[in-house]
Amino acid sequence: IYLNEGFTGNIINDLTMLCPDIETLFVEISTEGNKFNFGVVYRPPSGNLKVFYQLLEKIFNNLSNRKNNNHSVVTGDFNINLLKNDSNKSKFENIFFGNCFIPTVSLPTHEKPGCDP
């Protein structure tokens, strides 16, 4: 995460983690008296998807308990095919929608030979 000189940022330790199933970095950003949370999440494709979902739900629960939780952005590479109508997509969307977030990617972000879109 890069912050321009006009911003002040502090790592949110209880939302930041590094393990085989999820990697996250969350920062509370301040500018002109306003604060908001910005997070980036990465799910390693080799990680356990069930554990990823459990940790992601924990992150959203911790995020909703923060004072400035209505000013939050979560981005990342979740390595979940949102074009495939299956339980993985449903679980992912339920976690986001259930915490008042909306996934905005509606098209594949990359295509490679041999990879599902």
Side-chain angles (χ1 to χ4, degrees), residues 20-23 41-49 52 77-80:
D21 305 304
I22 191 169
E23 299 173 13
V41 176
Y42 174 69
R43 184 185 79 81
S46 61
N48 182 310
L49 191 55
F52 169 77
D77 183 354
F78 302 97
N79 283 306
I80 295 170

PDB file of all heavy atoms in Angstrom, residues 20-23 41-49 52 77-80:
ATOM      1  N   PRO A  20      -0.606 -19.306   5.660  1.00  0.00           N
ATOM      2  CA  PRO A  20      -0.708 -20.024   4.381  1.00  0.00           C
ATOM      3  C   PRO A  20      -2.046 -19.858   3.656  1.00  0.00           C
ATOM      4  O   PRO A  20      -2.125 -20.083   2.456  1.00  0.00           O
ATOM      5  CB  PRO A  20      -0.503 -21.489   4.775  1.00  0.00           C
ATOM      6  CG  PRO A  20       0.227 -21.452   6.066  1.00  0.00           C
ATOM      7  CD  PRO A  20      -0.244 -20.205   6.761  1.00  0.00           C
ATOM      8  N   ASP A  21      -3.096 -19.427   4.384  1.00  0.00           N
ATOM      9  CA  ASP A  21      -4.429 -19.367   3.794  1.00  0.00           C
ATOM     10  C   ASP A  21      -4.893 -17.965   3.440  1.00  0.00           C
ATOM     11  O   ASP A  21      -5.852 -17.806   2.684  1.00  0.00           O
ATOM     12  CB  ASP A  21      -5.437 -20.007   4.761  1.00  0.00           C
ATOM     13  CG  ASP A  21      -5.019 -21.422   5.117  1.00  0.00           C
ATOM     14  OD1 ASP A  21      -4.837 -22.223   4.184  1.00  0.00           O
ATOM     15  OD2 ASP A  21      -4.831 -21.697   6.311  1.00  0.00           O
ATOM     16  N   ILE A  22      -4.236 -16.943   3.974  1.00  0.00           N
ATOM     17  CA  ILE A  22      -4.637 -15.557   3.708  1.00  0.00           C
ATOM     18  C   ILE A  22      -3.478 -14.620   4.059  1.00  0.00           C
ATOM     19  O   ILE A  22      -2.729 -14.869   4.997  1.00  0.00           O
ATOM     20  CB  ILE A  22      -5.907 -15.175   4.507  1.00  0.00           C
ATOM     21  CG1 ILE A  22      -6.498 -13.842   4.035  1.00  0.00           C
ATOM     22  CG2 ILE A  22      -5.628 -15.160   5.989  1.00  0.00           C
ATOM     23  CD1 ILE A  22      -7.881 -13.546   4.607  1.00  0.00           C
ATOM     24  N   GLU A  23      -3.346 -13.563   3.269  1.00  0.00           N
ATOM     25  CA  GLU A  23      -2.371 -12.508   3.559  1.00  0.00           C
ATOM     26  C   GLU A  23      -3.130 -11.188   3.482  1.00  0.00           C
ATOM     27  O   GLU A  23      -3.827 -10.937   2.507  1.00  0.00           O
ATOM     28  CB  GLU A  23      -1.236 -12.521   2.539  1.00  0.00           C
ATOM     29  CG  GLU A  23      -0.458 -13.822   2.526  1.00  0.00           C
ATOM     30  CD  GLU A  23       0.571 -13.909   1.410  1.00  0.00           C
ATOM     31  OE1 GLU A  23       0.879 -12.864   0.782  1.00  0.00           O
ATOM     32  OE2 GLU A  23       1.048 -15.021   1.152  1.00  0.00           O
ATOM     33  N   VAL A  41      -6.303  -7.811   0.517  1.00  0.00           N
ATOM     34  CA  VAL A  41      -6.382  -9.216   0.903  1.00  0.00           C
ATOM     35  C   VAL A  41      -5.881 -10.066  -0.261  1.00  0.00           C
ATOM     36  O   VAL A  41      -6.238  -9.824  -1.419  1.00  0.00           O
ATOM     37  CB  VAL A  41      -7.843  -9.617   1.230  1.00  0.00           C
ATOM     38  CG1 VAL A  41      -7.947 -11.097   1.547  1.00  0.00           C
ATOM     39  CG2 VAL A  41      -8.393  -8.778   2.371  1.00  0.00           C
ATOM     40  N   TYR A  42      -5.078 -11.062   0.058  1.00  0.00           N
ATOM     41  CA  TYR A  42      -4.622 -12.032  -0.955  1.00  0.00           C
ATOM     42  C   TYR A  42      -4.917 -13.434  -0.448  1.00  0.00           C
ATOM     43  O   TYR A  42      -4.611 -13.762   0.703  1.00  0.00           O
ATOM     44  CB  TYR A  42      -3.124 -11.878  -1.227  1.00  0.00           C
ATOM     45  CG  TYR A  42      -2.584 -12.942  -2.149  1.00  0.00           C
ATOM     46  CD1 TYR A  42      -2.952 -12.975  -3.495  1.00  0.00           C
ATOM     47  CD2 TYR A  42      -1.716 -13.921  -1.685  1.00  0.00           C
ATOM     48  CE1 TYR A  42      -2.469 -13.956  -4.347  1.00  0.00           C
ATOM     49  CE2 TYR A  42      -1.218 -14.897  -2.532  1.00  0.00           C
ATOM     50  CZ  TYR A  42      -1.597 -14.914  -3.863  1.00  0.00           C
ATOM     51  OH  TYR A  42      -1.114 -15.885  -4.702  1.00  0.00           O
ATOM     52  N   ARG A  43      -5.553 -14.236  -1.301  1.00  0.00           N
ATOM     53  CA  ARG A  43      -5.758 -15.648  -0.977  1.00  0.00           C
ATOM     54  C   ARG A  43      -4.845 -16.478  -1.860  1.00  0.00           C
ATOM     55  O   ARG A  43      -5.049 -16.567  -3.068  1.00  0.00           O
ATOM     56  CB  ARG A  43      -7.203 -16.087  -1.207  1.00  0.00           C
ATOM     57  CG  ARG A  43      -7.415 -17.553  -0.775  1.00  0.00           C
ATOM     58  CD  ARG A  43      -8.794 -18.055  -1.091  1.00  0.00           C
ATOM     59  NE  ARG A  43      -8.969 -18.435  -2.476  1.00  0.00           N
ATOM     60  CZ  ARG A  43      -8.592 -19.603  -3.002  1.00  0.00           C
ATOM     61  NH1 ARG A  43      -7.981 -20.505  -2.271  1.00  0.00           N
ATOM     62  NH2 ARG A  43      -8.806 -19.861  -4.271  1.00  0.00           N
ATOM     63  N   PRO A  44      -3.813 -17.105  -1.258  1.00  0.00           N
ATOM     64  CA  PRO A  44      -2.964 -17.991  -2.053  1.00  0.00           C
ATOM     65  C   PRO A  44      -3.803 -19.149  -2.604  1.00  0.00           C
ATOM     66  O   PRO A  44      -4.583 -19.752  -1.857  1.00  0.00           O
ATOM     67  CB  PRO A  44      -1.930 -18.502  -1.046  1.00  0.00           C
ATOM     68  CG  PRO A  44      -1.938 -17.499   0.069  1.00  0.00           C
ATOM     69  CD  PRO A  44      -3.353 -16.988   0.121  1.00  0.00           C
ATOM     70  N   PRO A  45      -3.689 -19.441  -3.894  1.00  0.00           N
ATOM     71  CA  PRO A  45      -4.501 -20.515  -4.480  1.00  0.00           C
ATOM     72  C   PRO A  45      -4.288 -21.869  -3.793  1.00  0.00           C
ATOM     73  O   PRO A  45      -5.187 -22.697  -3.786  1.00  0.00           O
ATOM     74  CB  PRO A  45      -4.037 -20.569  -5.938  1.00  0.00           C
ATOM     75  CG  PRO A  45      -3.395 -19.256  -6.198  1.00  0.00           C
ATOM     76  CD  PRO A  45      -2.856 -18.775  -4.886  1.00  0.00           C
ATOM     77  N   SER A  46      -3.133 -22.076  -3.209  1.00  0.00           N
ATOM     78  CA  SER A  46      -2.845 -23.355  -2.545  1.00  0.00           C
ATOM     79  C   SER A  46      -3.399 -23.414  -1.120  1.00  0.00           C
ATOM     80  O   SER A  46      -3.350 -24.455  -0.476  1.00  0.00           O
ATOM     81  CB  SER A  46      -1.332 -23.602  -2.508  1.00  0.00           C
ATOM     82  OG  SER A  46      -0.702 -22.565  -1.771  1.00  0.00           O
ATOM     83  N   GLY A  47      -3.937 -22.297  -0.627  1.00  0.00           N
ATOM     84  CA  GLY A  47      -4.454 -22.243   0.738  1.00  0.00           C
ATOM     85  C   GLY A  47      -5.787 -22.971   0.875  1.00  0.00           C
ATOM     86  O   GLY A  47      -6.468 -23.275  -0.102  1.00  0.00           O
ATOM     87  N   ASN A  48      -6.164 -23.220   2.112  1.00  0.00           N
ATOM     88  CA  ASN A  48      -7.413 -23.883   2.439  1.00  0.00           C
ATOM     89  C   ASN A  48      -8.554 -22.864   2.331  1.00  0.00           C
ATOM     90  O   ASN A  48      -8.582 -21.883   3.071  1.00  0.00           O
ATOM     91  CB  ASN A  48      -7.327 -24.462   3.849  1.00  0.00           C
ATOM     92  CG  ASN A  48      -8.563 -25.212   4.263  1.00  0.00           C
ATOM     93  OD1 ASN A  48      -9.670 -24.716   4.141  1.00  0.00           O
ATOM     94  ND2 ASN A  48      -8.368 -26.415   4.772  1.00  0.00           N
ATOM     95  N   LEU A  49      -9.481 -23.116   1.418  1.00  0.00           N
ATOM     96  CA  LEU A  49     -10.557 -22.163   1.156  1.00  0.00           C
ATOM     97  C   LEU A  49     -11.477 -22.003   2.367  1.00  0.00           C
ATOM     98  O   LEU A  49     -11.919 -20.898   2.678  1.00  0.00           O
ATOM     99  CB  LEU A  49     -11.357 -22.597  -0.071  1.00  0.00           C
ATOM    100  CG  LEU A  49     -12.345 -21.595  -0.646  1.00  0.00           C
ATOM    101  CD1 LEU A  49     -11.669 -20.263  -0.985  1.00  0.00           C
ATOM    102  CD2 LEU A  49     -13.008 -22.165  -1.884  1.00  0.00           C
ATOM    103  N   PHE A  52      -9.770 -19.770   4.759  1.00  0.00           N
ATOM    104  CA  PHE A  52      -9.799 -18.416   4.209  1.00  0.00           C
ATOM    105  C   PHE A  52     -11.127 -17.730   4.530  1.00  0.00           C
ATOM    106  O   PHE A  52     -11.148 -16.592   4.990  1.00  0.00           O
ATOM    107  CB  PHE A  52      -9.578 -18.449   2.690  1.00  0.00           C
ATOM    108  CG  PHE A  52      -9.845 -17.135   2.011  1.00  0.00           C
ATOM    109  CD1 PHE A  52      -8.917 -16.105   2.086  1.00  0.00           C
ATOM    110  CD2 PHE A  52     -11.027 -16.917   1.312  1.00  0.00           C
ATOM    111  CE1 PHE A  52      -9.165 -14.880   1.465  1.00  0.00           C
ATOM    112  CE2 PHE A  52     -11.284 -15.706   0.688  1.00  0.00           C
ATOM    113  CZ  PHE A  52     -10.347 -14.691   0.764  1.00  0.00           C
ATOM    114  N   ASP A  77      -6.757  -9.796  -4.274  1.00  0.00           N
ATOM    115  CA  ASP A  77      -6.776 -10.906  -5.214  1.00  0.00           C
ATOM    116  C   ASP A  77      -7.271 -12.106  -4.426  1.00  0.00           C
ATOM    117  O   ASP A  77      -6.528 -12.706  -3.655  1.00  0.00           O
ATOM    118  CB  ASP A  77      -5.376 -11.146  -5.771  1.00  0.00           C
ATOM    119  CG  ASP A  77      -5.339 -12.253  -6.809  1.00  0.00           C
ATOM    120  OD1 ASP A  77      -6.378 -12.913  -7.020  1.00  0.00           O
ATOM    121  OD2 ASP A  77      -4.270 -12.472  -7.391  1.00  0.00           O
ATOM    122  N   PHE A  78      -8.536 -12.437  -4.607  1.00  0.00           N
ATOM    123  CA  PHE A  78      -9.180 -13.465  -3.794  1.00  0.00           C
ATOM    124  C   PHE A  78      -9.081 -14.852  -4.423  1.00  0.00           C
ATOM    125  O   PHE A  78      -9.408 -15.839  -3.784  1.00  0.00           O
ATOM    126  CB  PHE A  78     -10.638 -13.090  -3.550  1.00  0.00           C
ATOM    127  CG  PHE A  78     -10.784 -11.751  -2.881  1.00  0.00           C
ATOM    128  CD1 PHE A  78     -11.038 -10.617  -3.622  1.00  0.00           C
ATOM    129  CD2 PHE A  78     -10.628 -11.626  -1.513  1.00  0.00           C
ATOM    130  CE1 PHE A  78     -11.155  -9.372  -3.019  1.00  0.00           C
ATOM    131  CE2 PHE A  78     -10.744 -10.384  -0.896  1.00  0.00           C
ATOM    132  CZ  PHE A  78     -11.008  -9.266  -1.653  1.00  0.00           C
ATOM    133  N   ASN A  79      -8.661 -14.904  -5.679  1.00  0.00           N
ATOM    134  CA  ASN A  79      -8.526 -16.176  -6.394  1.00  0.00           C
ATOM    135  C   ASN A  79      -9.777 -17.036  -6.281  1.00  0.00           C
ATOM    136  O   ASN A  79      -9.716 -18.229  -5.977  1.00  0.00           O
ATOM    137  CB  ASN A  79      -7.284 -16.940  -5.917  1.00  0.00           C
ATOM    138  CG  ASN A  79      -6.028 -16.352  -6.509  1.00  0.00           C
ATOM    139  OD1 ASN A  79      -5.904 -16.218  -7.716  1.00  0.00           O
ATOM    140  ND2 ASN A  79      -5.098 -15.972  -5.643  1.00  0.00           N
ATOM    141  N   ILE A  80     -10.919 -16.401  -6.524  1.00  0.00           N
ATOM    142  CA  ILE A  80     -12.210 -17.088  -6.546  1.00  0.00           C
ATOM    143  C   ILE A  80     -12.889 -16.705  -7.860  1.00  0.00           C
ATOM    144  O   ILE A  80     -12.963 -15.523  -8.202  1.00  0.00           O
ATOM    145  CB  ILE A  80     -13.084 -16.679  -5.338  1.00  0.00           C
ATOM    146  CG1 ILE A  80     -12.413 -17.148  -4.059  1.00  0.00           C
ATOM    147  CG2 ILE A  80     -14.494 -17.245  -5.469  1.00  0.00           C
ATOM    148  CD1 ILE A  80     -13.032 -16.610  -2.803  1.00  0.00           C
TER     149      ILE A  80
END
